[in-house]
Amino acid sequence: EGKARDWSSYFSRAAAAPFLTGKRRNFRATLVWLLGPTNQAKVDSGLYDGDESEDPIMNAAPAGADFNSFGG
């Protein structure tokens, strides 16, 4: 048996994240989004923690990604 999930802490963390609450971009996490296993892992890892100057979308590029090589 796995350990029971601490949903209270999880949703408190999500509620404190500016990006997930729509304060950073035109996005607001829905319950369905928050319950997705991949998204739970992202929230748990702290990807969306931080102050409002951080942008998790821009900081989430895969390691080794070279976006300057597009177009030639």
Side-chain angles (χ1 to χ4, degrees):
E1 278 182 52
K3 183 179 171 186
R5 176 95 178 141
D6 181 359
W7 290 108
S8 178
S9 293
Y10 175 77
F11 285 111
S12 291
R13 184 176 207 166
F19 177 76
L20 297 178
T21 57
K23 295 176 182 154
R24 289 286 297 134
R25 288 183 173 250
N26 190 21
F27 171 82
R28 185 174 296 169
T30 64
L31 180 60
V32 171
W33 188 94
L34 288 167
L35 293 177
T38 301
N39 297 328
Q40 285 184 48
K42 291 176 185 178
V43 173
D44 288 338
S45 75
L47 178 65
Y48 302 109
D49 292 354
D51 65 65
E52 294 194 26
S53 66
E54 296 175 4
D55 190 337
I57 295 297
M58 298 308 292
N59 294 331
D66 181 7
F67 295 107
N68 295 319
S69 65
F70 288 131

